[in-house]
Amino acid sequence: MKKLLFLLLIVTACQRGKVTPVSNCSTAFAEIPVQVTYTDTLELYLDSQMVFSPFTPVDFDTATQQLYAFDSYGKRLLTYDISNTDTLIHPTAEHKIHTREKVTYFRYLSPDSLLLYAYNRDYLMYYSIARDTVTHTLTFLPPGRSFPKTVLPARPFASPAAPIHLIDRVVVGAGYLLGEKTEENFSGRTIFSVIHPGHNNVKYHVPYSKVYQQNNWGGSHLRIPYTTYNAASKQWILSLPADHHIQVIDSNWGVTEVPASTAKGVCITSMDLAKDNKAIYDADVSLQYYLHTPSYRNIIYDAYRDCYYRMLELPDAAQTGKQPWLIVLDKRFQYKGEVAIPVSFALDNFFIGRDGIYFLDMANANQNIARYVQCQITW
């Protein structure tokens, strides 16, 4: 009898950890094919110290056609002139960066100035190349480095897919916190962190969209925000993995939801686990949920063609990975078409050039070469 009671208690506890999942579905409409031409492959020479991964920090200066790559382990800034695409491209310059911090992201500001970001320390550093030193440091943390219980802002999780921008001396970045909270203040779990000029002047903006205000979305992969900035319209665009809409954010942090779904008609379904179920802390559980769930990704503004690219990932037939699709939206966010792109492309490692968008190709097996493939997209 005691054994039966014990088993009933276990079953009851497990049932408490289960919930009915909810599907967020889009309406199918006429799909328009988009043409992609893969051309002008760039082959960058790597020495024995340099490794290019999906998360290697890169930045591109369109005016000079210089691609900058940061060696996070050797703490070097490498410069590649990509105007010559006929041969293996060796670095034209290499500069040692003197900092103790692990740099996870950077922006090239000028021939003498870099913006370096250390995610694990919340440090943003202005670096002078001429003086070989950090000239001053900022932080995305508030005064006192603590938040009220109702506020859960995220420090920037920076990459080309969620860049940090310096706009009129204001620094803006986007990020996320791991986990699902049972009693969180939805308006307090914000995505954007903004550093204004002045001492300790940090503000936090834009909570998750209403799709996220209920249900369990895994606490990790489907919580990652993807952003882009349109300098001409002074708008931030936010793409969230579980939302068929994008958020268009004006200079006063007003948010407008705009439909930006695939034409396929896709359902994005939440987990069947309650938010307080400890199973979601198992990395494999959250990974398997992500691999089996359609989700959106990057939103990229192409200033040369005045359009946007939004990425959709669909589980493959073998359910071991996800097939990326590129959705084209015009400058008014109207659907223009979509197309599948190679699964080998690193969607976190890309840059925009005059003739197209370049993705790092992870199918390259040569450890002495980093290969970028140019995609010319027409519709």
Side-chain angles (χ1 to χ4, degrees):
M1 185 65 183
K2 288 183 178 179
K3 184 175 181 180
L4 178 60
L5 180 60
F6 178 69
L7 290 173
L8 285 173
L9 288 172
I10 291 176
V11 171
T12 303
C14 290
Q15 289 175 340
R16 285 177 187 158
K18 291 284 187 176
V19 295
T20 302
V22 174
S23 290
N24 175 28
C25 301
S26 65
T27 302
F29 53 91
E31 184 173 329
I32 303 172
V34 168
Q35 182 178 351
V36 180
T37 303
Y38 301 105
T39 184
D40 285 347
T41 298
L42 302 176
E43 294 192 339
L44 311 181
Y45 172 77
L46 307 179
D47 60 26
S48 59
Q49 302 175 60
M50 186 64 176
V51 176
F52 255 68
S53 78
F55 308 105
T56 298
V58 297
D59 200 6
F60 181 59
D61 184 0
T62 56
T64 61
Q65 293 291 289
Q66 304 296 303
L67 178 65
Y68 299 93
F70 195 89
D71 176 4
S72 297
Y73 298 98
K75 295 185 178 177
R76 301 176 296 162
L77 181 70
L78 304 179
T79 305
Y80 294 91
D81 181 357
I82 70 164
S83 59
N84 177 15
T85 61
D86 297 330
T87 59
L88 181 63
I89 305 172
H90 285 71
T92 56
E94 174 185 324
H95 195 93
K96 188 73 174 176
I97 302 299
H98 298 277
T99 175
R100 295 180 180 179
E101 306 299 337
K102 181 181 178 181
V103 175
T104 55
Y105 178 83
F106 81 102
R107 295 301 301 265
Y108 175 85
L109 302 179
S110 73
D112 181 49
S113 185
L114 301 175
L115 198 64
L116 308 177
Y117 179 58
Y119 173 76
N120 63 333
R121 297 288 297 275
D122 298 297
Y123 278 180
L124 192 72
M125 299 166 284
Y126 287 82
Y127 191 89
S128 168
I129 294 177
R131 295 161 58 186
D132 271 331
T133 187
V134 173
T135 57
H136 63 286
T137 303
L138 302 175
T139 178
F140 288 98
L141 293 175
R145 296 176 178 264
S146 63
F147 298 101
K149 290 183 179 180
T150 57
V151 179
L152 287 171
R155 66 184 187 269
F157 187 70
S159 74
I164 290 176
H165 275 273
L166 179 62
I167 306 167
D168 298 329
R169 297 179 63 211
V170 176
V171 181
V172 184
Y176 72 108
L177 296 176
L178 287 170
E180 299 287 334
K181 314 297 181 183
T182 55
E183 297 180 357
E184 72 179 10
N185 173 25
F186 296 113
S187 62
R189 188 170 181 175
T190 54
I191 292 169
F192 285 90
S193 296
V194 183
I195 305 175
H196 294 268
H199 182 62
N200 290 330
N201 196 3
V202 185
K203 298 185 182 300
Y204 308 99
H205 301 279
V206 186
Y208 280 86
S209 62
K210 58 187 177 183
V211 171
Y212 286 85
Q213 293 185 7
Q214 295 179 357
N215 310 308
N216 184 347
W217 299 100
S220 54
H221 303 281
L222 267 69
R223 281 281 181 180
I224 300 175
Y226 299 92
T227 65
T228 194
Y229 183 68
N230 184 331
S233 64
K234 297 184 179 180
Q235 291 175 323
W236 283 93
I237 318 299
L238 170 64
S239 172
L240 293 171
D243 200 335
H244 295 290
H245 293 74
I246 54 175
Q247 280 68 48
V248 181
I249 304 158
D250 63 30
S251 57
N252 293 316
W253 297 101
V255 179
T256 303
E257 286 198 344
V258 177
S261 70
T262 172
K264 301 178 188 302
V266 167
C267 289
I268 306 172
T269 304
S270 64
M271 297 186 83
D272 62 356
L273 301 176
K275 285 176 176 282
D276 58 357
N277 192 313
K278 291 184 172 54
I280 67 168
Y281 294 105
D282 184 329
D284 188 60
V285 170
S286 61
L287 176 61
Q288 290 305 313
Y289 166 66
Y290 159 72
L291 291 175
H292 290 78
T293 305
S295 56
Y296 292 96
R297 220 177 178 284
N298 308 43
I299 183 74
I300 303 167
Y301 177 60
D302 185 340
Y304 294 103
R305 283 151 284 277
D306 200 13
C307 69
Y308 298 88
Y309 311 125
R310 192 184 193 193
M311 299 296 178
L312 168 72
E313 290 185 308
L314 297 177
D316 61 22
Q319 295 188 333
T320 56
K322 299 179 86 168
Q323 169 65 56
W325 285 75
L326 185 149
I327 303 168
V328 179
L329 307 170
D330 68 15
K331 63 182 180 181
R332 296 182 179 86
F333 310 108
Q334 298 298 305
Y335 174 88
K336 306 307 292 184
E338 56 193 286
V339 64
I341 61 174
V343 296
S344 62
F345 284 1
L347 302 183
D348 286 306
N349 195 322
F350 66 89
F351 62 95
I352 299 281
R354 294 191 186 98
D355 299 318
I357 181 170
Y358 292 81
F359 286 102
L360 179 67
D361 186 8
M362 299 307 295
N364 166 43
N366 189 337
Q367 296 182 355
N368 295 319
I369 292 174
R371 182 169 65 201
Y372 281 87
V373 177
Q374 183 196 87
C375 308
Q376 293 182 344
I377 302 165
T378 54
W379 63 92

